[in-house]
Amino acid sequence: MTAFVYQCSNCGRRYRRDEVRYLCPLCARDYRPGIPLLGVLSAQFDYAAIRKQFSKANPDWSLFSAVEEKFFPPVPVGNTPFFQTATLGKQFGFENVWIKNDGLNPSASLKDRASFLVVAEANRLKEKTVVTASTGNAASALAAVCAAAQKRALIFVPETAPKPKLVQMILYGATVVPVRGTYDAAFRLSLEYTAQRGGLNRNTAYHPLTIEGKKTVGLEIWRQNNWRVPDAILVPVGDGVIISGVHKAFCDLKAAGLISRTPRLVCVQAERSNAIHEYIESGIYRDAADPNTIADSISVSVPSNAHLARKAVLESGGFSITVSDDEILQAQGMLAADTGIFAEPASSAVVAALKKLRGSGRLDREEQIVLLITGHGLKDVETAMRDIQLPEAVEPTLAGVEEHLEHLGLRRQSAATTALSKSGVALRLSRQSKKKGAR
Ligand SMILES: [Zn+2]
């Protein structure tokens, strides 16, 4: 760990590590539930010390950590795959598209990174209970890391949270409190709970170490990319903490003199949950009136980290874009069939955005573009099944198989291996035909 202070993102005041726990006390006085958080803190390290000690030959990542390694929970988080896609980007006219697949974390989402660091902090502070509100992923992540660290996770979720995520939390042993209303209601209730009853609050952005935890994905991209900075990173945005974390990673590296520029960040939101997008475009903040998208992980009315997220995008020289639910569902199928990655709808939004950006001139054909996949598709199978018709069983005879293939228009692909390799095509065909029928 390197020495650090917390700096308020609103007023710039600095605080010693144990002087504050959540927000800047002065700016938080103006905060009231129902608006984005004010006084979100950012850890500012001794960058000269990092520069002196960091070596690419033997990288010590704990230099960038705001909690000592001895407090880390015993569960491996991060180090997820980073690779170039062979076909996906080319379909849309981009030659150099890479994927960071953070759906392969222990609880199957990037949010494990934030939970990991906050639970490490709970270890340091000897807090036995960690509390959060979440649309699902942050809660499953907290439940998983708390299980490994033998802590109590107390979780407030909107009653509409997808069942697989609830099942995850309960299996991990968390105490789950479904709340009537939206994520924002669950968020408010969790703040009230920790203020009155104690425990460490892990709410995203509210606890500054959520941003620090999420920044590790940016540090990893830099290392896995042979210490080069990508040109652009497309990030699914709900609350705006992941995109701030990614930006923070590259800002830390730049402040330590290890890189000379930061990547352009593209904020990707769902059309029906677009508060940060509108804020970036117009400079005026307004809540998303009816956050109602199939991409539940990025469905937020009042994004808690709206101010820092907007700043990250603008500072990086990036921009914002929205995609519709239909575009997200279509992109989910394309990503799966072209790369083997089954991503949840929120993550599929970045693929939909890339497709939409074809020919727009906002991204260059040859620049290195990274798609950040933040959650696994198995977390929300119900949504993925909306446009899919599962094939019916056949008689266990070759004739039965032939009949089935004929039905799918694949009669001449008779070898068993071909039939197997085409099963994905079959699903896609039935997905398409069902779609056509629906229209
Ligand atoms: Zn302040």
Side-chain angles (χ1 to χ4, degrees):
M1 201 194 91
T2 311
F4 72 94
V5 293
Y6 284 123
Q7 183 166 28
C8 172
S9 56
N10 286 106
C11 71
R13 273 188 192 79
R14 289 179 164 234
Y15 299 93
R16 287 187 313 278
R17 182 188 195 182
D18 283 313
E19 203 177 338
V20 283
R21 186 172 276 195
Y22 302 117
L23 302 173
C24 163
L26 288 166
C27 293
R29 283 192 308 208
D30 297 327
Y31 171 72
R32 61 182 195 284
I35 63 169
L37 293 173
L38 295 170
V40 174
L41 298 172
S42 168
Q44 297 296 309
F45 291 83
D46 179 348
Y47 294 106
I50 294 180
R51 182 174 202 164
K52 228 180 265 173
Q53 291 173 59
F54 188 82
S55 125
K56 287 179 187 170
N58 187 18
D60 176 5
W61 297 106
S62 71
L63 292 170
F64 290 91
S65 172
V67 183
E68 293 83 349
E69 227 167 313
K70 65 180 174 185
F71 297 116
F72 285 180
V75 54
V77 166
N79 287 313
T80 54
F82 177 70
F83 59 95
Q84 186 171 15
T85 71
T87 55
L88 185 72
K90 287 185 183 142
Q91 294 183 45
F92 310 139
F94 299 106
E95 296 293 326
N96 196 9
V97 175
W98 291 63
I99 287 182
K100 175 69 171 164
N101 186 9
D102 241 45
L104 295 185
N105 272 300
S107 84
S109 92
L110 184 148
K111 297 184 177 182
D112 287 353
R113 295 175 185 272
S115 293
F116 182 87
L117 203 63
V118 174
V119 172
E121 179 75 342
N123 280 336
R124 185 179 78 84
L125 298 171
K126 299 189 171 60
E127 285 280 8
K128 291 196 178 92
T129 301
V130 188
V131 180
T132 199
S134 162
T135 56
N137 278 343
S140 343
L142 180 64
V145 179
C146 278
Q150 295 293 294
K151 290 207 180 292
R152 178 175 176 235
L154 178 61
I155 288 162
F156 297 86
V157 288
E159 57 186 336
T160 52
K163 283 197 184 78
K165 295 179 184 178
L166 292 172
V167 170
Q168 258 189 309
M169 295 168 214
I170 291 165
L171 277 181
Y172 288 134
T175 307
V176 177
V177 185
V179 178
R180 285 192 197 111
T182 62
Y183 163 68
D184 309 290
F187 187 88
R188 280 199 292 272
L189 193 56
S190 76
L191 293 191
E192 199 182 330
Y193 183 91
T194 43
Q196 306 287 328
R197 306 273 193 272
L200 186 64
N201 195 306
R202 177 233 179 267
N203 271 344
T204 197
Y206 183 69
H207 198 300
L209 294 188
T210 52
I211 298 174
E212 284 301 304
K214 289 175 182 181
K215 97 179 170 186
T216 57
V217 76
L219 299 177
E220 264 175 46
I221 289 173
W222 179 56
R223 168 175 62 79
Q224 292 172 315
N225 200 31
N226 287 323
W227 314 106
R228 285 171 305 159
V229 177
D231 295 301
I233 305 180
L234 273 65
V235 184
V237 174
D239 253 326
V241 177
I242 292 177
I243 200 162
S244 302
V246 172
H247 188 56
K248 177 68 167 31
F250 290 98
C251 288
D252 276 3
L253 291 170
K254 198 171 167 207
L258 296 165
I259 60 173
S260 57
R261 63 173 180 89
T262 63
R264 276 158 33 238
L265 298 180
V266 180
C267 160
V268 180
Q269 289 211 287
E271 274 176 4
R272 288 191 284 178
S273 176
N274 63 350
I276 292 180
H277 169 77
E278 290 294 321
Y279 190 23
I280 290 169
E281 295 270 297
S282 69
I284 298 162
Y285 173 79
R286 274 193 213 98
D287 302 348
D290 177 24
N292 179 16
T293 162
I294 55 161
D296 70 288
S297 302
I298 52 171
S299 179
V300 185
S301 160
V302 184
S304 56
N305 203 37
H307 301 307
L308 266 184
R310 175 174 180 266
K311 193 167 160 235
V313 172
L314 296 180
E315 260 181 23
S316 78
F319 60 91
S320 177
I321 181 169
T322 60
V323 288
S324 70
D325 280 4
D326 275 350
E327 288 167 331
I328 290 173
L329 266 185
Q330 195 196 22
Q332 187 180 40
M334 294 177 97
L335 177 68
D338 284 352
T339 67
I341 294 174
F342 180 21
E344 68 171 349
S347 303
S348 306
V350 297
V351 179
L354 187 69
K355 185 178 175 210
K356 209 167 181 176
L357 286 164
R358 170 172 41 192
S360 68
R362 300 180 99 178
L363 292 175
D364 292 336
R365 186 180 180 84
E366 277 163 20
E367 64 182 352
Q368 189 185 24
I369 300 164
V370 177
L371 305 178
L372 185 58
I373 303 299
T374 52
H376 202 291
L378 288 174
K379 280 175 168 270
D380 188 5
V381 173
E382 234 169 83
T383 299
M385 282 180 68
R386 277 192 199 180
D387 279 350
I388 285 182
Q389 197 177 352
L390 295 178
E392 282 177 19
V394 303
E395 288 305 320
T397 60
L398 275 181
V401 175
E402 286 291 339
E403 193 186 327
H404 184 67
L405 295 180
E406 190 173 4
H407 177 67
L408 296 172
L410 296 170
R411 186 175 167 73
R412 308 223 177 271
Q413 320 280 346
S414 54
T417 48
T418 314
L420 276 176
S421 74
K422 292 290 177 187
S423 58
V425 176
L427 272 181
R428 267 195 291 166
L429 283 175
S430 43
R431 188 171 191 157
Q432 283 159 7
S433 56
K434 191 174 174 191
K435 265 217 124 149
K436 268 182 211 152
R439 278 181 199 135

